[in-house]
Amino acid sequence: MLTFVYVLNFLDRQLLGILAKPIQDSLHISDGQLGLIGGLYFAMFYCFIAIPVSWLADRTSRVGVLTCACAIWSAATIACGMARTYPQLVAARMVVGFGEAGGVPPSYALITDTFAPGRRGVAFGIYNLGPPIGAALGIALGASIAAAYDWRDAFVAIGLAGLVAALALPWIVPEPMRGASDPVAAPAQAKAPFWQTLATFFRSPVMMLAALGSGATQFVTYGLGNFAVLFLIREKGMTLSEIAIWYAVAIVVGMGGGMIASGRIIDRFSKRSRRVFAIAPAISLAIALPFYVAFVWAPGWPLALALLTIVMFFNYFYLSCSVTLVQEEAAPNQRVLAGALLLLVMNFIGLGLGPTWVGAASDRFAAAGTDNPLQLSLYTLAPFYIVAIALFLALARTLRRREFAA
């Protein structure tokens, strides 16, 4: 059920990028404006509202907070479909961000308190199937509905599905005791102090390096994700109908396969050394980089999509690794807020700045008179792979020093 709610969470988030072309044609907005609404404007609410919401969830019912959040972002998604102007769409997307801020962190804590160490990697791998399934369904349903009817109908239909899920959630998901699945049964703990939890997170080199490495990775994944459909249509020659089938398949096979593979890898090797939480994403990103450059260069969409499938498989190893590591580093009564702080750092860098960067770069290249501005702007994401790899290698060294000190 948590995975299904995450599917809806990510589906709502990705609809803007999936339906970018008809939205641009309808509301007459530029790549830069599209990047802002899917990036910085959304992230301003999504990242920072998550902190007080997660603090509340650590002190009250995590299932209750998740239920309210799902209802808010679903209603706001319906409002996106009713927007008639760019400012109205901006306002609706900000409310979507406000609601989605309460979606993922409570789920992280619920999973951690349900599965013991050694099983959490696969559990988070399954949960993190939410993004690929959500993106694939968004592509298949959103593009199909938009092609057959109107882009607005896609937002309304998916928002209504979210409202139904919000009604069902508290009847299906139990509220586990905090620390119930830890190796040593956790004693009854006081409610987590807010400022102490913040200080613990930001003073921890392990949690901060995990967050920064994930942020640099998300700069690439969100920068690419918000413009991939537009890029494939505009510069590779795909149609909305082809997007609905083939791009959806690439998302499920590539991103979904990476989520499952990374979960199995960290559950297997973390028993030997926790350095796998850093080494696995560093190696996977190093493999992904040349395939990413080849994808942007590819002359036609069949080759581009095949290369993109490989890129997505290796791009997403970081997520299960960083989430599992941070959840195990945090105290049981601080896990929701620790998860929110992880999302704050990595999403503000990745979700907030990645699409904004790509959209602004595309507008600048277009103003300079280039024939393929979006392609050139996607090339500029390649150096951020190097930054992410360096940060994960620094995390590996930190974990290695800790193991030797122990």
Side-chain angles (χ1 to χ4, degrees):
M1 186 63 190
L2 293 178
T3 304
F4 177 68
V5 172
Y6 198 11
V7 166
L8 295 173
N9 180 304
F10 206 82
L11 199 162
D12 290 349
R13 197 182 314 172
Q14 293 297 301
L15 268 184
L16 188 73
I18 294 163
L19 302 176
K21 187 66 168 63
I23 291 172
Q24 280 189 322
D25 294 342
S26 175
L27 300 183
H28 309 292
I29 60 179
S30 69
D31 286 355
Q33 289 176 307
L34 192 68
L36 283 170
I37 197 173
L40 186 61
Y41 294 157
F42 181 89
M44 284 168 59
F45 276 76
Y46 180 74
C47 294
F48 292 102
I49 296 298
I51 303 305
V53 169
S54 299
W55 174 78
L56 177 66
D58 266 331
R59 301 169 68 88
T60 58
S61 167
R62 294 163 292 184
V63 174
V65 168
L66 179 59
T67 299
C68 293
C70 183
I72 291 170
W73 84 60
S74 300
T77 298
I78 295 173
C80 289
M82 298 178 178
R84 298 294 170 182
T85 64
Y86 179 68
Q88 290 176 355
L89 186 59
V90 169
R93 292 304 291 175
M94 285 182 168
V95 180
V96 171
F98 177 87
E100 290 189 3
V104 178
S107 299
Y108 284 165
L110 289 167
I111 291 169
T112 304
D113 286 339
T114 303
F115 293 92
R119 297 180 62 207
R120 290 171 180 165
V122 170
F124 279 118
I126 293 170
Y127 176 70
N128 286 327
L129 287 174
I133 295 173
L137 285 177
I139 294 157
L141 297 177
S144 298
I145 292 171
Y149 302 99
D150 185 77
W151 65 267
R152 301 178 187 280
D153 298 322
F155 279 96
V156 173
I158 290 165
L160 288 173
L163 291 177
V164 173
L167 291 173
L169 184 64
W171 299 97
I172 297 174
V173 179
E175 179 80 31
M177 186 180 72
R178 287 169 170 82
S181 64
D182 289 340
V184 177
Q189 297 187 355
K191 294 179 180 178
F194 180 77
W195 295 110
Q196 180 184 328
T197 304
L198 260 65
T200 299
F201 184 92
F202 286 109
R203 288 174 183 170
S204 167
V206 170
M207 289 195 274
M208 279 304 299
L209 283 169
L212 292 171
S214 299
T217 307
Q218 284 197 346
F219 194 97
V220 176
T221 59
Y222 276 114
L224 170 62
N226 276 42
F227 286 92
V229 171
L230 187 61
F231 177 64
L232 289 168
I233 291 174
R234 184 192 295 175
E235 301 196 22
K236 301 299 181 186
M238 291 188 80
T239 65
L240 264 180
S241 298
E242 290 169 337
I243 289 286
I245 299 171
W246 298 111
Y247 186 53
V249 170
I251 289 281
V252 170
V253 173
M255 195 189 303
M259 296 293 188
I260 293 297
S262 62
R264 290 187 174 276
I265 287 169
I266 61 178
D267 271 353
R268 179 176 179 181
F269 291 101
S270 62
K271 297 172 184 177
R272 304 179 190 177
S273 171
R274 288 164 62 80
R275 279 177 284 170
V276 69
F277 291 120
I279 293 172
I283 292 174
S284 70
L285 292 172
I287 296 171
L289 176 55
F291 288 101
Y292 172 76
V293 174
F295 152 72
V296 179
W297 162 85
W301 73 259
L303 176 59
L305 207 57
L307 292 166
L308 182 59
T309 303
I310 299 171
V311 170
M312 288 188 294
F313 181 87
F314 290 107
N315 266 2
Y316 288 91
F317 272 50
Y318 80 96
L319 189 55
S320 295
C321 293
S322 294
V323 170
T324 306
L325 179 60
V326 168
Q327 288 294 296
E328 292 189 357
E329 288 283 311
N333 64 338
Q334 298 177 333
R335 282 174 175 157
V336 181
L337 185 52
L341 292 168
L342 171 66
L343 293 174
L344 167 66
V345 176
M346 69 183 190
N347 282 329
F348 187 76
I349 296 171
L351 176 59
L353 303 181
T356 305
W357 169 279
V358 173
S362 180
D363 280 357
R364 285 196 298 270
F365 287 126
T370 57
D371 295 329
N372 51 347
L374 189 52
Q375 182 182 39
L376 293 176
S377 67
L378 289 176
Y379 274 127
T380 67
L381 292 176
F384 291 94
Y385 274 100
I386 307 299
V387 175
I389 291 167
L391 288 166
F392 280 119
L393 290 176
L395 174 59
R397 287 193 296 271
T398 301
L399 291 171
R400 181 174 180 269
R401 285 196 298 267
R402 178 187 287 185
E403 286 178 354
F404 283 151

